[in-house]
Amino acid sequence: MELITNTYSNDMSESAIGAKAKNLYQLKTLGFRVPDWVVIPYISLLEISAESFHDKTATQINEIIYSFSFPKFYLHKIISLFPADTLFAVRSSAEDEDGSGFSFAGQFDSYLNIPKEKLEENIKKVWHSAFSERVSRYRKTHNLKATFNVSVIIQQIVKAEIS
């Protein structure tokens, strides 16, 4: 189970971590101040679930997502990468999200100001949103294939003084 940080990865391709995480990484490497983040690649989420999603309905996939528990060491590793009092944004990052042809804006759920005790629950909620009826309709409307490659970004919330 690989966890990709904002400073290192074997694979920072869009197909591995999604468009949003790739863009965050590119901004960081260009010297922009980007709040710290990690991404759980979709392949790691599939490994954690220990069940194949192929040939499953959205309802069955969501039952699988909500039934598994993340290994404690995995959650501790994520939390250890941030200051103790960090609140988090938990967001999706998919290969076809925010692309040149389709936007998916507002389709996947994001959660803000999440304490570390609620990370697992919100990671599952973001991943679950990728298989929602709303996303399914969007894919059908635009003739897009169903995909399982939705990664999850966990990013430090930074209190803004200006925007």
Side-chain angles (χ1 to χ4, degrees):
M1 284 183 288
E2 185 176 12
L3 178 68
I4 296 177
T5 69
N6 63 337
T7 57
Y8 164 79
S9 170
N10 290 329
D11 186 0
M12 279 294 184
S13 70
E14 247 178 68
S15 62
I17 63 170
K20 193 178 296 171
K22 182 179 178 194
N23 289 337
L24 287 172
Y25 181 74
Q26 288 175 333
L27 287 170
K28 179 98 173 170
T29 59
L30 290 171
F32 287 90
R33 292 176 53 194
V34 177
D36 286 340
W37 58 274
V38 297
V39 62
I40 303 172
Y42 79 94
I43 196 72
S44 292
L45 289 167
L46 292 176
E47 289 172 5
I48 291 168
S49 74
E51 276 204 56
S52 173
F53 284 4
H54 296 286
D55 300 324
K56 299 264 194 279
T57 66
T59 301
Q60 291 170 321
I61 291 169
N62 286 317
E63 287 172 2
I64 293 167
I65 291 169
Y66 283 117
S67 69
F68 76 84
S69 293
F70 280 87
K72 295 297 178 208
F73 77 87
Y74 198 76
L75 291 170
H76 289 307
K77 178 172 174 120
I78 293 169
I79 292 165
S80 74
L81 297 170
F82 298 92
D85 61 347
T86 298
L87 292 175
F88 300 94
V90 184
R91 311 163 60 198
S92 64
S93 183
E95 183 177 13
D96 56 0
E97 181 182 16
D98 303 332
S100 58
F102 300 95
S103 173
F104 282 88
Q107 300 297 316
F108 300 108
D109 294 338
S110 293
Y111 299 92
L112 304 176
N113 295 310
I114 304 302
K116 62 186 173 189
E117 297 82 15
K118 298 282 186 179
L119 267 182
E120 179 176 14
E121 172 187 337
N122 285 277
I123 292 166
K124 289 179 182 183
K125 285 165 56 175
V126 168
W127 205 28
H128 159 80
S129 72
F131 302 100
S132 69
E133 182 61 34
R134 174 178 63 220
V135 171
S136 178
R137 276 194 311 269
Y138 186 86
R139 288 189 181 285
K140 286 178 186 172
T141 299
H142 296 287
N143 295 316
L144 300 171
K145 66 178 175 123
T147 183
F148 306 108
N149 63 347
V150 176
S151 301
V152 177
I153 298 169
I154 296 118
Q155 188 170 20
Q156 181 179 17
I157 292 285
V158 177
K159 295 182 187 224
E161 294 176 15
I162 58 173
S163 65

